[in-house]
Amino acid sequence: MKWLWMTMALAAGMAVSIQAGVNGGLGRRVGVLEGSFVSFLIGTIVLFLVQLFFGKGELLAMFSVPKWQLIGGILGAFYVFVMVLIVPKVGVANSLMAVVAGQLVMSSIVDHFGLFGGQRIPFDLTRFAAIGFLFLAIWLFFRK
């Protein structure tokens, strides 16, 4: 079952690559903030319809969760805005290499301390080496 989840994550990563290219082009045509807004608006409409037909009916429970759990939308908007802004300037691959590096550094911190109720996975020498190799890969991607 773990392979199914990892395959889904791989597909999501591929979707992010397509999204970055599409949103970068949208931003060039309509403006960075406008492109970010349009992207989120369409995503919001689609998610509204999907949850309407397939959701568990617990949408109003959002008022009873800790308020910090509601910042995901803000973080998502920040991500889309940054990608709409930088993809036309540095390309999809360069943008996503930097995004992946940021994700791995922050997720390693989250895992190490077990933040947000997650499992504690200590940061060890192997993970340090992997992140080091990732930054080497970024350097190779970005150099001319």
Side-chain angles (χ1 to χ4, degrees):
M1 191 58 140
K2 197 180 250 187
W3 284 104
L4 174 63
W5 303 133
M6 294 307 291
T7 302
M8 289 176 65
L10 183 64
M14 291 176 178
V16 166
S17 296
I18 295 167
Q19 177 196 33
V22 168
N23 283 349
L26 178 64
R28 276 194 304 268
R29 303 261 309 165
V30 302
V32 172
L33 286 172
E34 295 80 2
S36 301
F37 173 76
V38 168
S39 179
F40 254 79
L41 177 64
I42 292 170
T44 299
I45 291 168
V46 168
L47 283 174
F48 172 75
L49 293 172
V50 170
Q51 72 83 34
L52 191 65
F53 294 106
F54 302 106
K56 294 179 182 178
E58 298 175 12
L59 189 60
L60 295 179
M62 70 182 219
F63 294 109
S64 63
V65 302
K67 299 307 174 222
W68 65 265
Q69 290 181 344
L70 300 176
I71 67 169
I74 295 168
L75 297 171
F78 173 71
Y79 167 77
V80 168
F81 170 77
V82 169
M83 294 308 283
V84 170
L85 179 68
I86 70 170
V87 165
K89 295 170 177 43
V90 299
V92 173
N94 288 336
S95 299
L96 288 176
M97 285 290 292
V99 166
V100 169
Q103 288 174 329
L104 283 174
V105 167
M106 183 49 84
S107 62
S108 294
I109 293 168
V110 169
D111 282 350
H112 181 76
F113 293 105
L115 301 177
F116 312 117
Q119 177 184 358
R120 285 193 67 184
I121 303 171
F123 190 79
D124 59 12
L125 190 57
T126 303
R127 287 175 176 246
F128 181 78
I131 289 175
F133 284 125
L134 178 63
F135 278 97
L136 176 62
I138 290 171
W139 178 76
L140 291 171
F141 253 75
F142 278 109
R143 77 183 185 125
K144 299 235 175 200

